[in-house]
Each structure stands twice: as C-alpha cells, then as structure tokens.
Amino acid sequence: MDRLAELEQERAYTARVQQLLYAVIQTSRDFTKFHDQSIRDMMSDAWEELRLKPTALSPQDLEQLSTEIDRYLVRKNFSEEVARRYERMLLSPFFARIDFSERDESVPDRIVIGLYSLKNEQGELMVHDWRAPICGLYYDAQPGGVTYRAPDGVISGRMTLKRQYRMENGRLKYYVDTDVSIDDEMLLDILSQATSHHMRNIVSTIQHEQNLAIRHENARVLSVTGGAGSGKTSVAMHRAAYLMYHHRDQLDASHIAVLSPSSAFSEYISTVLPDLGEDNAQAVTLHGLLSTVIGRTVEPSIRLIERLIDDNDPLRRQSVRYKSDGKFCDTLSAYALRFEEDGAHFQDIGLEKHLLMSKEDLEQLYRIDFNMLTPALRLIRIQTVLESRMDGWEKALATQYEDRLLKSYRGRDLEMAKRMAVMQHLSPIRQKIRQALSVDPLKMLSDALSGAPRELREVARENAQAGVVWWEDAPAIAWLMVRLGFTAPDKSMRHILIDEAQDYPDIALRFLSCYYPAAQVTLLGDVNQRTCPGMPPCNPRAWGTDFQEPRTPLVRLTKSYRSTQPITRLCNALLPDEPHAEEFGREGVFPAIEPFDRAKLITLVEEWKTQGMKHIAVITRSQAEASKLSRAIKNSILLTGGDDDMLPEGGGVVVSSFHLIKGLEFDAVAVVWPDVEVTDGERRRLYTACSRALHQLRLMCDDALRRDLGIVL
C-alpha cells in the first residue's frame, strides 16, 4: 500500500474514533440530564407532599430520599466527568500506534494509543489508555522482539510497527514511522509552540528515560534528577496519574500529595492531572505544612534567602549550615531518645503542706508504668492520674467551704459559691500541673541544641521566648513534634511527590518520612539549582536514607527539552564544572547580553508582546528589585511568595526574584542582574533564572559580571 492510501486509511480510522467520541459524549450528557431531572422530580414531589401534609414524610422517608438523591448525584457527576474526559480527546483522538503480535501469531494487533481508552459498540478497544502495560512498548521499545509486564505476568511477542500521529484540530495532518520513542521533528514541532499559564501534559512526547521514572513501581523511594527543562515536574504529575490508574482500587487523588515550592507553582501544575482524567492531588507547600504542624507562623524561605544572598547575616548563614548538615539529624535523634527516657524535668507537685504527687512517683509513671506509650501520651496519662487525685481534694475542700459559706448562701447559690471557692483555691496547683506536663516545641529545639555553638544556643532561647520560628528551625521542630507524639502523623497518604527536592535539608526529608509513614515517595530535583546560601551540596543518591531506604533507585533525565539550543548552551556555560544536560536540537537566537537599562527593558517587553510571546518573565536577584521593576512595567504581576500568587491566565508579564520562579517556564525571559562578585552560588542563581526561558532570553548585567562569567560577545 502506498503512503497516500495508508494516510487515507488512518484518517478514516480517526473519523471513526471521533464518531465514537461524539456518541459517548452525547450519551453521557443525556445521562447527566436524566439524573439531574430525576433529582429535581424527587425533590419537587417531596416538597409537594410536605406542602399538602406536613407529616406525610417520616424521618425514615426523608433519610431514604436523601440516600436516593445521593445515588443520582454520584451517577450525574460520573456522567459529567466521562463527557469532560472524552471532550479532551476530540482535538487529538490518539497520538501513536504500535502493531504487536504475541508469540507466533501471524496477524498483529493494532494498538492505538491515546489519552484514555475507548471501546466501540462491540466492546473492542479502538484506543488504549497510554498507561496500559502494553503501551509502555511505545515509549521504551524498538520494532522487533519485545516483552512487557502485564498483571498476569511477562508477555513476549513481536512489534512490527511504531507510528506517531500529528493531529491538528481533530484532523490527522501526517504520521511518522520510527524506530525510536519519539521522532525528533515531531517533538520539535510540539516544543516550538508557545507555552501557556499551565503546564501541558506530555503523554504524546514521553521519552524513554522519563517513562522509566513514570512507570517505576519496585521501590518505596525513587529519586529523579535532571537539569532545568528535562521534564522533572511533568514526570511527577504523569507518575501520579499512572499510579492512580494502576492502583485504582487502593489509590485516588486524596491519597497523593505533591509538595511544590510555591503557590504559583501549584497553580501552574493544577490542570495536568485533570487533563489526564484524574482528580487533582493535594497541593502542599513545605512552608504551609510546617506552619500547620507546628501551629505557629513560620518565616517564609524568601525572607531567609533575601537575608543570605549578600552575606550580610553571618549568624543566619551559620544557622543554616549547622541545621542543614546530616549530623544535626543525629543531634535531634539523640535528644528525642533522651526525652523518651527522661521526659520533662519533673518536680514535686503539691499545695502548701499537702503533696499531690512526688517527683519520684511522676518519674515512675513516665519511665516505667507508661513506657510503652509515646512521650506525649505518657504525659496525658499522667495528667489523668493527677486529675483523679485532684477529685479527692476537691471533695474535701467542698465540704470545708460548705461549712464556711452555709450562713451566707443557700441552694444553687451555695453550690456556685463552693465551686468558685474550690477552683480559686486549687488554681495554683493546676497551673503547676500544666507547667509540669506541657511541652513548648520551640523550647524542645532550644534544649536539643545544648551541644551547638554558643551563639546558636542563645538565639534559640531568644526565639523560644519570643515565639519566633526561623525557616531552618521549622523542619526540626515539626520532626520532634511528630517523633515524640505531640502531632499525629498522616497515615492516609499513600504517595508523596517532592519537587525541587534539592532545596530540602536532611531534617526536612526526615520530617516528611515521619509525618507520612505509609507513603511511597518520589523525589525530583536538580542539584545545580540548590541556591540557598549555607546549605551543603546535595547528593540525590542519599535522599533515600532519610526515609530509611539506603538503596534508592536513581533515574537521571539527561536531556533538556525546554529551551532552545543557544539558551541551553548559555545555561551550561554558567556552570562549566557541572554535568550538563544534553541540548535538544531546537534552533534559536543566541541570548543577547547587555548592560541594564530600564527604558530598554520596558521596550523589550513590549517588542516581545508584538512578536507573539504570550508569557513573559522579568527575573531579578532580589525581591526589592523585583518590586521596583514591577512598578515600572505596565500591567505586570509581581510574585511575592504569598498564598495568592497567580500566573496570568491569558498571557502577560510576571516579575519575580529568582527563588520564586523555580519550576516555571516562559516564552521569553529578561534576567536583570546587578554587579556582584560571581561566586559558585551566584552562578547557580543565574542558572536558575536563565533556564526559565523557552524561546527568547535577554541577560542584562554590568560589564564586570560579563567579564567574570567569561562570556565573549
């Protein structure tokens, strides 16, 4: 068959699939209308009965009605979701095909791959869900003898065809037969398009190395590393969709949490899972989680980094360095063991000459009688024992006060007077009990730092007294609270995906391990983007040790797909001594490097808009400079690190400091950098900023910086 005839056959197949899609969508909409009308009718009938006779419906009748309405609501919501799911497929009904024959079968099966599975009237699969086991062959294998793992075991056979389709508005433009995962020309075509304010799904362009990470199931902890633009976050979201598909009986969106660096980033990825037919996983920032667990306001990371990048706060730099080291975890573990053994510093508890419980008895209860419980539960049980003894004291005092108050009060007034007198009398001892058994989490950290340098011990005591929680202290405090039982862990979570993991100190990972004890973990990061001053270099191979998994599989994503070749080349030049991401073959203009001029920047932004650059970013070194530029650039959006940070939906200009822009991408980026000494940390910050650009990049800096970078114009 010649190629033109085969193209027509493929278009006929496309048309057949679209007919099925329209039919399924219409049927789903009809079901939605039917269920909606049924609910309306049931409620109308019930109201009419009640209007005619208020006692017509018993409580049992009303409960049954509510149950029936709930059933119809579930069916209605399901029908709506089915319609939405298949509406997403109309513009691209499928994107790939493989022909596969099992063992010695002479006629291969046509496996057409799309976003979701679709059956015809006879129940035959016209389109296979990309997450189905057999579809992994498209991403990983070449034509010839192949195997794949199915629920029933390993299936062997032969793949005779691997084909990719390019769709445009639901019409098949062309196809490519290939012996690699994704044809480069087709991938270039897709990557050259303008970005949106939301991350796109990549099901049609998943690369072999990305697929390894997405479908990995053999380890509790998986580490994924890659340079900027290698698809780490996309891998995380597609991995979540894959896990929900394959473990649907035990895993849904409520059991998965995505830890992202900011609320803007959470919003950026918020449509990926719905586009893949799944509910959104829980979006969590580390700052928000720590604040919730500790119950105190935690210093934002943006404030810490702003203090440190110019090296004007040596105490904070020392604090970050000390608390980012793995030895700090050992210090906290030793303190937790001591607390488990000794508990609080118990003293005799009594009032006047009367002893309620001695120091020795309190220690006996804590160390021996209740030693099978967590420290927090031990203190609660001790409080119960003390309150039981207080009951006897209250009764004796009530009798004494009744005799004294009998002449002045009668009946209810006497009882009230007795209670008030007893409460006032026992108030000092109740306060002693609270002091003896309550634990201040900030003071716990202060006590744990007994072996730290003197200046860190002193500031820890000051922060505890003032109720201040430094960013680098928060993970340690949260870990102690969960480890010692003062905060309950979240045992409902089954999988957590940690993006930008290179920014997490060891104690933060240990806290997450402790807080999510039942969860599998996927960590994703780029060691070149660890930009917080004072933190030591990170080792992705060691991430698993903080989750008690020393042999953690590591998947490396080695290609950068985001930026053009010239932009990637410039980013790599910023870190000449580090491993570089392989440049994907998308041509472009070499980034211009020029002195900073505010007027030229404003003009440049307007020029980019006229050139069709929908999403533009101006990235600076500091939040103060970002604020100034945001005021100068009309209709720009300033990222602040707050919970209300949003990216412009239809296109626009975002102004941000480099540490709030991680993970995001833009059509065009202007990086405005001051004249500073170019240290290793400075290069990493510049790398983070410059690598946000897809198509256009302009670096505005002073001559000294250009010379220090070794960039020759």
Side-chain angles (χ1 to χ4, degrees):
M1 185 185 303
D2 64 35
R3 186 171 179 84
L4 185 59
E6 191 161 5
L7 179 61
E8 288 305 313
Q9 281 197 358
E10 293 285 14
R11 284 174 174 167
Y13 193 90
T14 306
R16 175 64 178 138
V17 170
Q18 284 182 316
Q19 288 176 352
L20 285 171
L21 287 170
Y22 280 118
V24 172
I25 292 168
Q26 188 58 53
T27 301
S28 298
R29 286 172 177 167
D30 291 343
F31 272 119
T32 299
K33 291 178 182 177
F34 170 77
H35 296 316
D36 190 53
Q37 188 60 49
S38 297
I39 293 170
R40 291 173 184 271
D41 291 343
M42 283 189 289
M43 293 185 68
S44 178
D45 292 344
W47 279 115
E48 183 64 17
E49 286 190 55
L50 289 171
R51 186 183 68 82
L52 296 173
K53 187 178 180 181
T55 59
L57 297 176
S58 67
Q60 293 78 13
D61 293 332
L62 291 172
E63 185 176 351
Q64 185 177 352
L65 176 65
S66 177
T67 303
E68 192 67 18
I69 289 174
D70 285 344
R71 288 199 193 101
Y72 275 91
L73 277 172
V74 169
R75 295 167 187 167
K76 175 191 172 185
N77 293 337
F78 177 76
S79 300
E80 288 177 337
E81 178 53 38
V82 170
R84 284 194 295 268
R85 175 177 294 188
Y86 289 111
E87 282 170 350
R88 297 186 187 104
M89 288 180 65
L90 286 174
L91 295 180
S92 183
F94 47 84
F95 57 83
R97 166 188 165 186
I98 59 173
D99 289 358
F100 174 80
S101 55
E102 189 174 341
R103 299 185 180 93
D104 297 326
E105 294 177 357
S106 57
V107 181
D109 293 324
R110 171 194 283 213
I111 311 297
V112 176
I113 305 170
L115 203 54
Y116 320 110
S117 59
L118 178 69
K119 293 182 179 180
N120 62 16
E121 297 87 345
Q122 290 75 43
E124 300 167 334
L125 274 169
M126 299 289 287
V127 182
H128 291 68
D129 191 299
W130 67 277
R131 295 166 290 186
I134 194 170
C135 297
L137 294 174
Y138 166 69
Y139 299 108
D140 292 334
Q142 300 176 3
V146 294
T147 61
Y148 70 94
R149 185 174 296 278
D152 295 334
V154 176
I155 306 295
S156 301
R158 190 166 188 83
M159 184 166 63
T160 54
L161 177 74
K162 178 190 281 189
R163 178 167 292 175
Q164 296 169 242
Y165 301 100
R166 186 74 172 106
M167 300 280 183
E168 191 172 280
N169 296 323
R171 178 174 171 78
L172 175 60
K173 288 181 64 179
Y174 63 87
Y175 66 81
V176 175
D177 292 339
T178 180
D179 60 356
V180 297
S181 293
I182 302 294
D183 180 74
D184 284 354
E185 290 187 14
M186 189 171 292
L187 181 54
L188 282 168
D189 186 18
I190 294 170
L191 294 175
S192 63
Q193 299 173 18
T195 186
S196 78
H197 75 294
H198 282 124
M199 175 176 282
R200 296 175 288 197
N201 77 67
I202 61 167
V203 291
S204 65
T205 60
I206 293 171
Q207 303 294 293
H208 172 63
E209 58 188 5
Q210 295 171 332
N211 197 50
L212 289 177
I214 290 169
R215 296 175 183 257
H216 199 288
E217 291 204 59
N218 297 327
R220 178 181 172 242
V221 180
L222 174 68
S223 297
V224 181
T225 66
S230 59
K232 297 182 296 297
T233 304
S234 291
V235 163
M237 303 310 295
H238 288 70
R239 177 162 172 74
Y242 174 84
L243 292 169
M244 282 189 272
Y245 175 86
H246 278 271
H247 304 284
R248 195 163 296 280
D249 57 334
Q250 46 188 300
L251 193 68
D252 61 33
S254 66
H255 299 125
I256 299 178
V258 180
L259 276 91
S260 57
S262 66
S263 57
F265 186 83
S266 297
E267 196 268 338
Y268 173 62
I269 64 175
S270 63
T271 62
V272 177
L273 282 172
D275 279 350
L276 296 172
E278 305 291 349
D279 293 333
N280 255 328
Q282 295 187 39
V284 181
T285 64
L286 182 60
H287 179 269
L289 180 60
L290 292 172
S291 298
T292 299
V293 169
I294 298 173
R296 304 282 185 91
T297 300
V298 175
E299 174 192 37
S301 60
I302 179 175
R303 192 177 300 168
L304 170 64
I305 294 174
E306 291 278 326
R307 294 179 70 94
L308 294 182
I309 56 175
D310 289 322
D311 206 18
N312 56 6
D313 195 336
L315 177 61
R316 291 302 300 274
R317 185 177 286 265
Q318 181 188 15
S319 176
V320 169
R321 188 182 302 113
Y322 182 86
K323 294 161 189 171
S324 300
D325 194 288
K327 295 178 181 177
F328 180 57
C329 297
D330 299 335
T331 298
L332 291 175
S333 295
Y335 171 79
L337 289 172
R338 290 198 305 274
F339 195 98
E340 282 186 326
E341 183 176 339
D342 300 330
H345 300 293
F346 295 115
Q347 300 294 330
D348 293 345
I349 297 178
L351 183 64
E352 299 167 353
K353 298 179 180 180
H354 303 284
L355 182 66
L356 183 67
M357 186 171 288
S358 68
K359 170 179 178 281
E360 290 75 21
D361 287 342
L362 289 167
E363 291 175 347
Q364 166 80 17
L365 290 173
Y366 185 90
R367 296 176 182 176
I368 299 173
D369 295 4
F370 301 147
N371 71 335
M372 298 301 292
L373 304 174
T374 66
L377 287 176
R378 292 187 224 178
L379 295 177
I380 291 172
R381 292 290 296 275
I382 291 172
Q383 184 170 352
T384 303
V385 173
L386 291 172
E387 288 176 352
S388 176
R389 293 195 178 187
M390 287 285 289
D391 289 342
W393 282 29
E394 287 181 357
K395 291 176 182 177
L397 282 169
T399 301
Q400 293 178 24
Y401 276 107
E402 184 172 1
D403 294 337
R404 298 179 194 176
L405 301 171
L406 191 58
K407 294 180 179 178
S408 303
Y409 299 94
R410 293 288 186 275
R412 294 176 60 184
D413 292 340
L414 176 61
E415 291 300 318
M416 179 65 72
K418 281 195 301 183
R419 283 199 296 271
M420 294 298 295
V422 172
M423 286 177 60
Q424 188 174 1
H425 191 109
L426 296 179
S427 176
I429 194 170
R430 292 193 182 280
Q431 186 175 356
K432 288 181 181 179
I433 292 173
R434 285 195 297 271
Q435 291 175 345
L437 302 181
S438 63
V439 175
D440 182 353
L442 276 65
K443 189 176 183 304
M444 280 199 298
L445 177 65
S446 176
D447 293 342
L449 291 172
S450 59
R454 177 182 56 79
E455 51 272 25
L456 296 184
R457 296 198 309 271
E458 290 177 354
V459 77
R461 284 194 294 270
E462 292 170 2
N463 285 348
Q465 292 171 359
V468 173
V469 184
W470 280 358
W471 169 252
E472 66 270 27
D473 290 340
I477 296 169
W479 180 84
L480 285 170
M481 293 182 68
V482 179
R483 170 68 173 78
L484 297 173
F486 295 99
T487 295
D490 185 347
K491 296 181 180 180
S492 68
M493 208 58 64
R494 293 290 179 266
H495 204 105
I496 58 172
L497 299 113
I498 304 172
D499 208 355
E500 304 295 344
Q502 76 279 349
D503 291 331
Y504 286 57
D506 287 352
I507 187 58
L509 296 179
R510 292 205 183 183
F511 157 67
L512 293 172
S513 176
C514 196
Y515 189 68
Y516 297 118
Q520 291 185 303
V521 185
T522 303
L523 300 112
L524 309 102
D526 177 7
V527 296
N528 291 333
Q529 294 188 67
R530 191 171 204 178
T531 54
C532 182
M535 290 183 67
C538 71
N539 178 12
R541 290 195 176 279
W543 284 341
T545 58
D546 294 311
F547 294 89
Q548 292 80 51
E549 295 287 343
R551 296 184 178 179
T552 304
L554 176 64
V555 177
R556 296 186 184 276
L557 307 180
T558 58
K559 288 185 178 180
S560 177
Y561 301 98
R562 175 185 296 144
S563 307
T564 62
Q565 279 187 330
I567 294 174
T568 303
R569 207 168 293 142
L570 173 63
C571 293
N572 290 342
L574 291 169
L575 300 172
D577 298 328
E578 298 292 343
H580 295 156
E582 183 182 340
E583 301 168 12
F584 189 70
R586 188 157 64 92
E587 298 297 329
V589 180
F590 194 85
I593 305 172
E594 62 188 22
F596 170 63
D597 183 292
R598 185 165 298 183
K600 287 185 70 173
L601 172 65
I602 295 171
T603 302
L604 174 66
V605 168
E606 294 303 316
E607 288 177 356
W608 278 340
K609 289 180 181 178
T610 62
Q611 294 170 10
M613 302 289 118
K614 293 180 64 177
H615 293 274
I616 300 167
V618 177
I619 305 175
T620 69
R621 186 172 181 267
S622 71
Q623 197 64 17
E625 184 61 26
S627 297
K628 292 178 185 176
L629 292 179
S630 180
R631 289 192 294 270
I633 301 172
K634 292 181 180 178
N635 300 319
S636 62
I637 293 176
L638 175 68
L639 296 188
T640 63
D643 293 337
D644 56 349
D645 275 350
M646 296 278 290
L647 299 177
E649 184 166 346
V653 183
V654 170
V655 184
S656 172
S657 52
F658 73 94
H659 42 287
L660 294 179
I661 212 80
K662 283 187 177 182
L664 304 179
E665 60 184 27
F666 301 86
D667 295 319
V669 172
V671 177
V672 179
W673 221 252
D675 185 13
V676 294
E677 182 183 356
V678 184
T679 61
D680 179 71
E682 206 65 41
R683 289 178 179 272
R684 295 180 189 277
R685 291 187 272 277
L686 267 172
Y687 170 86
T688 299
C690 292
S691 60
R692 302 306 97 199
L694 279 85
H695 312 300
Q696 296 276 353
L697 173 65
R698 187 73 58 91
L699 176 57
M700 294 184 166
C701 57
D702 292 330
D703 291 342
L705 177 59
R706 293 158 61 191
R707 288 194 301 271
D708 286 343
L709 290 174
I711 297 173
V712 180
L713 301 181

